[in-house]
Amino acid sequence: MTGLTAELVVDGRAPQSPALAPDGRRLCYVLAPMSRTGDRLDTELWLVDTDGAVASRRATDDTATESQPRWSSDSATLFFLSDRAVRGTPQLHALNLSDGTLTTVTSWRTGVIDHLPLDDPTLVALLAEDEPTGPDARRARNRDDAIVVGEREPCARLRLLDLRTGRITTPNVFADRHVVELRQRPGGGPLAVLTRASADNDHGPRSGQLHLLDPTTGTVEDLGPVGVDAQSLAWWPGEDGWHLGHLALTPPGLQAGTAVFDLAVDSRVLRNRTAGLPMCPTELCQTGAAPLVVCADGLNTTLARLDPTGLTTLSQHPGRLDNLTTTPAGAVVAVLTGTRHQPPNVHVGPPTGALRRITNTRPELDGIALGTQQPLAYRAADGLDLDGLLVLPVGRTAAQGPFPLITIVHGGPYDRYADRCQLFWFPSAQWLAAAGYAVLLPNPRGGQGHGHGFAASVAGRVGQQEWTDILTGIDLLVAEGIADSDRLGIAGWSHGGFMSAWAVGQTDRFRAALVGAGVVDWGMLAATGDNGQFEAALGGSTGWSGIGPHPHDAVSPISFASHIRTPVLILHGAEDTNVPLGQAVYLHRALRHFDVEHEFVIYPREGHSIRERHHQIDVLHRTRAWFDRWLRP
């Protein structure tokens, strides 16, 4: 049996974006490396027969970034995006399955963002930014390119491609609104179009609108506003005519659980179809009849059907189900899912039963020793039911404790730990379990999987009850003899990094901490991060709320920096715009001021996630070395 190495973690390839052909016989998926070595991530398209008669085979053979496979309605043609001609500028391509002919369909100068083959076999809807004009090119050459915010900002526009002529037309619709998503009504009807006021993540998600577009006549009908962060459009027929659904945050707050919203198109009646649901819908998938709904359900996942009277559970699955795709009748589905000790692969089957794995993209992990993973269920100090995961050191049982324990807090906070394989480039349970650590993966309030109220409870109160939820889990493991109370560590990335920074300002119980891309000042994040309004909802205020102190000061780790005595490892991407590098610099300067032992590492060219291979390997090795330094006897 072989031991786990950093290279095994980052050098693998993972399936993405499965697309099931309408006839259900074939499936295409993207195979993507876990890390990249250059400026571009080279991906591949693979085909597999769903009956398992023929093994997966590569559909394309060029070095390129390939994505978004979509099938024609007759299952004869596979459309996809590829930048094989000009790297970084994806164009639409078409693969004829009968003779293997591959055609480059577009040469749009700004590239194609998304596409949707329509029921009319001669039409494909495209999303693309405007091509540069002559004056645009001249200004770029002359560097006369001052940016006036709010003027001529890039946005995705709806375009229609005629496959017979290759001509692309741009209907004069939606003004300068940014088009987010398209879905055609079954049977060749109008297009449902979701738009936002702009592509700006801070402003756009609160400004969603729904429209109908007739692709033949170009006529548009406005259906009105939609909820915050709307996505996942789906049509279905009802007794009162057609319905159009989407996922969005439950009003009125911005830190909220997602819900399924159902718009009766003729009457314009809009309903929240999952109000009070103790789960969280994550995907809405169109079929020819009632749509399918994927729901985060605690540590696991429920697949349901949206019937007129409510959700009907079809099947329940351990861990996660992602990227659901289905045949038009909904009789066969395909998803990405895995097990506690196997990473995600493509699985197919009926929505009502067991799913069968049809890919194996990480065979190099077969035979690798991993730590035993088990679910935890416990109650918070106020009696709220909580869950999480415990991963034991490789080859050890709980009875052999106590072990040094590292708690890794998930990001979001609207995310969750599901009962799946916990092996990633960022601080992950199996990587630390291989070094002899027990790992707690808690799901404190504010996360996904327990309904809207659970998720919304931290708005303006981050670091409060979610922190005591985490402490309760640690205390449980100490009391059970699994965790050594004198050898505790804490880690996290993004919101998890915030919780790690918060923890060491509240207590000296931890002997070491890792703050990855973490939030230390909510007011500064609301002012400078990509998602300012969301961050303001979490922190409770902004710097322009008036003369301070502000509510966000009371929940910002930087306010408690003078209390920190725990050694801290700070990791951050230099080009992070989600949680800008200034957050890490702020913490570093405070720790230096108070003479706290710490290490500050900046990864050039990296954003909120670390993508380059050598940087990922450095994160893995540096994480272990840091905790070994402080938690080992």
Side-chain angles (χ1 to χ4, degrees):
M1 190 167 286
T2 308
L4 188 64
T5 66
E7 289 75 16
L8 275 172
V9 177
V10 307
D11 286 343
R13 299 192 297 173
Q16 300 175 351
S17 306
L20 195 58
D23 64 10
R25 295 171 55 195
R26 293 189 183 99
L27 180 140
C28 180
Y29 62 93
V30 177
L31 191 60
M34 308 293 290
S35 62
R36 71 167 188 260
T37 55
D39 293 334
R40 307 290 178 191
L41 187 70
D42 297 330
T43 61
E44 303 167 0
L45 294 186
W46 285 68
L47 288 166
V48 59
D49 292 349
T50 57
D51 62 6
V54 179
S56 292
R57 57 210 182 272
R58 187 172 173 181
T60 55
D61 56 9
D62 284 305
T63 299
T65 300
E66 296 173 331
S67 65
Q68 300 181 35
R70 311 266 196 272
W71 293 90
S72 61
S73 58
D74 62 1
S75 302
T77 304
L78 178 68
F79 294 94
F80 62 95
L81 301 184
S82 175
D83 65 355
R84 64 186 62 197
V86 179
R87 296 309 306 267
T89 306
Q91 302 293 346
L92 184 68
H93 291 70
L95 176 65
N96 186 308
L97 271 295
S98 63
D99 60 11
T101 302
L102 182 62
T103 306
T104 303
V105 182
T106 64
S107 56
W108 195 258
R109 281 179 289 165
T110 55
V112 176
I113 297 171
D114 202 353
H115 65 104
L116 179 67
L118 303 185
D119 276 14
D120 181 341
T122 67
L123 290 179
V124 177
L126 306 175
L127 296 184
E129 295 178 359
D130 291 337
E131 292 186 297
T133 63
D136 290 336
R138 184 171 61 253
R139 282 192 292 268
R141 287 194 304 270
N142 297 335
R143 299 197 174 204
D144 180 19
D145 52 359
I147 298 172
V148 180
V149 175
E151 291 185 9
R152 304 177 68 252
E153 291 185 344
C155 66
R157 299 190 193 277
L158 173 63
R159 328 240 179 211
L160 293 174
L161 165 67
D162 189 326
L163 292 171
R164 296 166 297 186
T165 64
R167 183 168 177 257
I168 296 175
T169 58
T170 303
N172 186 22
V173 293
F174 315 133
D176 288 328
R177 294 183 64 82
H178 175 67
V179 180
V180 177
E181 189 176 337
L182 310 171
R183 188 74 63 224
Q184 187 171 30
R185 196 175 75 189
L191 291 176
V193 184
L194 175 63
T195 69
R196 295 175 178 171
S198 73
D200 180 354
N201 283 339
D202 176 49
H203 172 59
R206 297 196 69 175
S207 61
Q209 298 273 344
L210 264 180
H211 320 265
L212 296 183
L213 171 71
D214 186 320
T216 303
T217 65
T219 57
V220 171
E221 184 178 357
D222 292 328
L223 299 180
V226 292
V228 175
D229 207 23
Q231 57 185 299
S232 204
L233 298 174
W235 288 91
W236 67 92
E239 293 183 358
D240 55 348
W242 284 99
H243 288 241
L244 180 57
H246 65 276
L247 300 184
L249 296 186
T250 304
L254 295 183
Q255 170 60 25
T258 48
V260 175
F261 291 90
D262 170 4
L263 176 68
V265 176
D266 290 340
S267 66
R268 297 293 198 273
V269 173
L270 180 67
R271 293 187 295 159
N272 179 346
R273 296 292 304 279
T274 53
L277 188 72
M279 303 181 287
C280 293
T282 59
E283 294 183 46
L284 186 62
C285 188
Q286 178 171 302
T287 71
L292 302 179
V293 185
V294 180
C295 294
D297 186 1
L299 297 168
N300 302 305
T301 301
T302 292
L303 181 59
R305 184 178 60 236
L306 187 64
D307 288 323
T309 57
L311 286 185
T312 300
T313 296
L314 301 178
S315 54
Q316 294 177 308
H317 304 267
R320 292 179 61 121
L321 298 184
D322 292 305
N323 298 137
L324 179 68
T325 175
T326 178
T327 54
V332 179
V333 300
V335 293
L336 298 179
T337 190
T339 70
R340 290 178 182 174
H341 299 104
Q342 292 179 333
N345 268 290
V346 181
H347 289 64
V348 299
T352 54
L355 302 175
R356 173 175 49 88
R357 191 180 74 176
I358 61 171
T359 65
N360 182 19
T361 62
R362 300 292 305 276
E364 68 274 13
L365 293 179
D366 294 345
I368 298 295
L370 297 177
T372 299
Q373 178 171 306
Q374 60 192 59
L376 291 177
Y378 54 100
R379 285 189 171 174
D382 61 358
L384 182 67
D385 287 332
L386 299 171
D387 60 36
L389 298 170
L390 170 66
V391 179
L392 294 170
V394 173
R396 309 297 291 276
T397 67
Q400 294 174 286
F403 307 106
L405 176 77
I406 300 173
T407 299
I408 307 177
V409 187
H410 67 65
Y414 192 59
D415 199 350
R416 64 167 177 153
Y417 283 118
D419 197 4
R420 62 167 178 163
C421 184
Q422 300 293 331
L423 182 62
F424 314 101
W425 63 263
F426 49 85
S428 61
Q430 290 294 353
W431 175 246
L432 291 169
Y437 295 98
V439 181
L440 170 63
L441 305 176
N443 282 324
R445 69 194 76 197
Q448 188 184 65
H450 296 281
H452 166 62
F454 186 89
S457 63
V458 302
R461 299 188 295 276
V462 286
Q464 305 302 302
Q465 288 175 301
E466 61 176 324
W467 167 230
T468 58
D469 290 349
I470 293 168
L471 282 179
T472 299
I474 295 172
D475 290 341
L476 172 68
L477 296 181
V478 170
E480 292 183 349
I482 296 171
D484 183 343
S485 62
D486 292 326
R487 292 189 290 164
L488 299 177
I490 190 164
W493 203 271
S494 193
H495 190 83
F498 154 71
M499 287 304 308
S500 185
W502 176 261
V504 295
Q506 306 301 310
T507 179
D508 292 335
R509 292 182 64 181
F510 299 102
R511 291 183 59 183
L514 185 156
V515 176
V519 182
V520 301
D521 188 303
W522 288 101
M524 188 165 75
L525 186 62
T528 61
D530 283 341
N531 306 290
Q533 295 189 46
F534 287 96
E535 314 301 0
L538 287 168
S541 62
T542 63
W544 55 82
S545 298
I547 297 175
H550 300 106
H552 70 255
D553 293 325
V555 293
S556 291
I558 200 66
S559 300
F560 301 88
S562 64
H563 300 174
I564 298 175
R565 298 294 180 267
T566 302
V568 180
L569 173 62
I570 308 169
L571 307 178
H572 217 107
E575 306 300 326
D576 191 345
T577 57
N578 188 328
V579 178
L581 178 62
Q583 297 278 328
V585 173
Y586 203 176
L587 180 59
H588 157 64
R589 290 181 177 179
L591 296 180
R592 184 173 60 188
H593 176 79
F594 291 112
D595 197 27
V596 178
E597 183 90 32
H598 71 287
E599 186 175 290
F600 181 23
V601 183
I602 301 170
Y603 293 102
R605 301 174 300 281
E606 300 285 13
H608 196 53
S609 295
I610 306 303
R611 300 299 187 191
E612 293 187 21
R613 179 179 184 272
H614 289 301
H615 291 164
Q616 290 184 349
I617 289 175
D618 185 84
V619 169
L620 291 169
H621 286 313
R622 197 175 295 275
T623 296
R624 267 198 196 169
W626 185 255
F627 286 115
D628 285 349
R629 176 181 174 186
W630 300 105
L631 269 63
R632 290 300 185 187

